């Protein structure tokens, strides 16, 4: 059923105790690290990051210009202080993937690590690393029409490895529909997506799911 509106149960003004703390480091430039400076012509946009289990190794992927082509990737070995660009180590086809690439770490049913980068167009394309980001290969797209790729991938509560849900959104007229799909093999294959939210008057483009 399509919802016409979403009402916040906490419309009343929040008390001081209910307001989450805000940490603003925008003026603390000594704490900032620039991975890819923009120019007058190029906007480096929509980055997502992945912190590996060692607590030090990080990956970042992003696209060029607003919702533009993918291609850039960087790795840090020291928790984000220094970065190495990996663009020339990626599949050539990755530069034709478009809009907000997102990177995730999953385990397959045997408990082996898979690193995935999903993008939005065309039809949710993807690249995969089986060796902790040393090498990457392009696989066939998932075939899911979308505005943006997975905004969230969450592991399901299970004793078995490989089980995750993915959430992304697609457009249907004036609506942005949040879609859900499930993988049982660590991201290799995904179930037929179904709608979990469809709201005409609210933008459901940026949401997160935590497990």
């Amino acid at each position: 059923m399509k919802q016409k509106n979403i009402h916040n149960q906490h419309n009343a003004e929040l008390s001081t105790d209910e307001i989450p703390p805000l940490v603003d480091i925008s003026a603390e430039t000594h704490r900032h690290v620039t991975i890819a400076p923009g120019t007058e012509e190029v906007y480096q946009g929509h980055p997502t990051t992945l912190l590996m289990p060692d607590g030090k190794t990080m990956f970042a992927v992003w696209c060029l210009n607003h919702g533009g082509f993918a291609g850039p990737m960087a790795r840090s070995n020291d928790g984000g202080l220094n970065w190495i660009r990996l663009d020339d180590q990626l599949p050539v086809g990755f530069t034709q993937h478009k809009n907000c690439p997102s990177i995730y770490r999953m385990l397959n049913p045997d408990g082996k690590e898979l690193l995935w980068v999903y993008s939005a167009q065309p039809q949710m394309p993807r690249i995969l690393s089986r060796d902790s980001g040393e090498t990457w290969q392009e696989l066939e797209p998932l075939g899911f029409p979308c505005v943006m790729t997975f905004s969230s991938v969450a592991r399901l509560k299970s004793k078995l490895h490989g089980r995750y849900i993915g959430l992304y959104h697609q457009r249907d007229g004036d609506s942005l529909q949040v879609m859900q799909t499930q993988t049982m093999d660590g991201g290799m294959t995904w179930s037929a997506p179904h709608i979990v939210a469809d709201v005409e008057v609210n933008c459901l483009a940026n949401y997160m799911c935590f497990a």
Side-chain angles (χ1 to χ4, degrees):
M1 183 175 65
K2 185 173 292 188
Q3 295 174 280
K4 296 299 182 183
N5 203 347
I6 291 180
H7 296 282
N8 193 328
Q9 296 179 352
H10 301 285
N11 283 329
E13 185 176 346
L14 295 175
S15 69
T16 303
D17 292 338
E18 293 177 303
I19 299 176
L22 173 65
V23 179
D24 183 359
I25 64 169
S26 59
E28 301 178 34
T29 56
H30 64 284
R31 300 178 65 179
H32 299 176
V33 176
T34 301
I35 303 175
T39 69
E40 292 291 334
E41 295 78 27
V42 178
Y43 158 51
Q44 311 274 0
H46 314 296
T48 64
T49 59
L50 171 67
L51 177 64
M52 298 291 280
D54 63 8
K56 296 181 180 180
T57 306
M58 297 180 65
F59 291 90
V61 292
W62 63 97
C63 58
L64 302 177
N65 299 313
H66 181 74
F69 287 103
M73 178 186 287
R75 185 186 72 238
S76 172
N77 298 320
D78 55 11
L81 296 178
N82 297 281
W83 292 84
I84 304 167
R85 292 292 290 267
L86 305 176
D87 307 26
D88 59 357
Q89 301 177 31
L90 304 178
V92 175
F94 184 54
T95 61
Q96 299 304 304
H97 299 185
K98 197 172 183 181
N99 197 2
C100 304
S102 300
I103 184 168
Y104 297 99
R105 176 183 180 270
M106 301 185 219
L107 301 180
N108 72 7
D110 295 326
K112 295 181 179 179
E113 177 184 85
L114 303 176
L115 301 187
W116 292 99
V117 178
Y118 297 94
S119 302
Q121 291 94 31
Q123 300 288 309
M124 206 177 288
R126 54 186 176 159
I127 61 174
L128 165 67
S129 175
R130 302 174 186 271
D131 53 11
S132 299
E134 293 296 323
T135 60
W136 295 83
Q137 64 180 121
E138 184 177 22
L139 272 66
E140 71 285 351
L142 292 184
F144 298 159
C146 61
V147 177
M148 287 173 56
T149 187
F150 296 126
S151 294
S152 296
V153 170
R155 185 175 179 179
L156 297 175
K157 185 177 180 180
S158 173
K159 294 181 180 179
L160 302 176
H161 292 303
R163 303 187 174 199
Y164 301 81
I165 60 168
L167 297 167
Y168 66 95
H169 72 277
Q170 67 179 17
R171 185 176 296 281
D172 180 26
D174 294 331
S175 296
L176 289 179
Q177 300 171 329
V178 179
M179 310 297 292
Q180 178 178 304
T181 177
Q182 182 173 330
T183 179
M184 306 291 282
D185 54 15
M188 297 299 297
T189 61
W190 293 83
S191 65
H194 63 275
I195 300 170
V196 293
D198 187 350
V199 184
E200 290 180 346
V201 296
N202 292 77
C203 179
L204 299 179
N206 298 291
Y207 47 84
M208 296 298 295
C209 173
F210 298 92

